[in-house]
């Protein structure tokens, strides 16, 4: 191959790689913390697994979560059932979250959520538009998962 052809081939390869990387970069821009912005309702069910010899206790929650678009969140209020005991949880809770891109990049986002000061903790899975979030609690002794659906900006 002549020098001129090698330069042309190298240039075409670089251009093709650049185009491919730009698609990944654009998709990555959709999995930033500002993907989640607005008020969501979170509904989840599962169990708390206490230390033996106690048996699993059912747990359910319906909760409002406001994602602030900057990695922070607040909780205006919730209703929780733990082993059949219903509790109205007043607003005022806070937390933080992170987001990253799934591979391949056009498949959606993954992330984490921590309610402050020390949990509970969740893994997040969501489409690029951020309209719905699938959440699973990652703290030991919990089998708890649900969905958060966007209500408003």
């Amino acid at each position: 191959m002549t020098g001129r052809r090698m330069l042309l081939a190298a240039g075409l390869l670089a251009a093709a790689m650049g185009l491919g990387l730009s698609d990944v970069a654009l998709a990555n821009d959709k999995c930033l913390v500002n993907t989640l912005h607005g008020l969501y309702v979170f509904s989840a069910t599962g169990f708390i697994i206490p230390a033996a010899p106690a048996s699993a206790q059912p747990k359910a929650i319906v909760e409002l979560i406001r994602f602030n678009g900057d990695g922070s969140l607040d909780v205006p209020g919730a209703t929780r059932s733990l082993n059949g005991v219903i509790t109205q949880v007043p607003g005022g809770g806070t937390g933080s979250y992170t987001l990253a891109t799934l591979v391949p990049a056009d498949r959606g986002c993954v992330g984490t959520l921590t309610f402050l000061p020390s949990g509970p903790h969740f893994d997040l899975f969501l489409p690029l538009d951020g309209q719905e979030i699938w959440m699973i609690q990652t703290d030991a002794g919990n089998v708890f998962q649900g969905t958060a659906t966007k209500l408003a900006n």
Side-chain angles (χ1 to χ4, degrees), residues 36-81:
L36 294 179
H37 189 268
L39 185 64
Y40 289 71
V41 63
F42 174 51
S43 174
T45 60
F47 296 90
I48 292 176
I49 313 297
S55 59
Q57 299 176 356
K59 173 171 129 175
I61 193 165
V62 175
E63 174 177 42
L64 293 172
I65 302 172
R66 180 172 305 283
F67 290 91
N68 298 317
D70 61 1
S72 69
L73 63 90
D74 59 81
V75 178
T79 299
R80 177 182 63 213
S81 173

Side-chain angles (χ1 to χ4, degrees), residues 25-149:
L26 289 174
N28 286 343
D29 288 344
K30 295 180 181 177
C31 290
L32 301 173
V33 292
N34 64 3
T35 299
L36 294 179
H37 189 268
L39 185 64
Y40 289 71
V41 63
F42 174 51
S43 174
T45 60
F47 296 90
I48 292 176
I49 313 297
S55 59
Q57 299 176 356
K59 173 171 129 175
I61 193 165
V62 175
E63 174 177 42
L64 293 172
I65 302 172
R66 180 172 305 283
F67 290 91
N68 298 317
D70 61 1
S72 69
L73 63 90
D74 59 81
V75 178
T79 299
R80 177 182 63 213
S81 173
L82 181 55
N83 205 26
V85 177
I86 307 297
T87 305
Q88 299 279 323
V89 181
T94 61
S96 62
Y97 64 95
T98 64
L99 288 179
T101 304
L102 272 171
V103 176
D106 63 346
R107 300 292 166 94
C109 309
V110 295
T112 62
L113 183 152
T114 300
F115 290 101
L116 299 174
S118 60
H121 306 86
F122 289 83
D123 279 350
L124 309 176
F125 302 89
L126 56 141
L128 294 174
D129 66 6
Q131 295 299 303
E132 192 167 40
I133 309 163
W134 295 276
M135 299 171 58
I136 186 165
Q137 190 170 355
T138 57
D139 299 301
N142 287 275
V143 179
F144 193 61
Q145 67 84 35
T147 304
T149 305

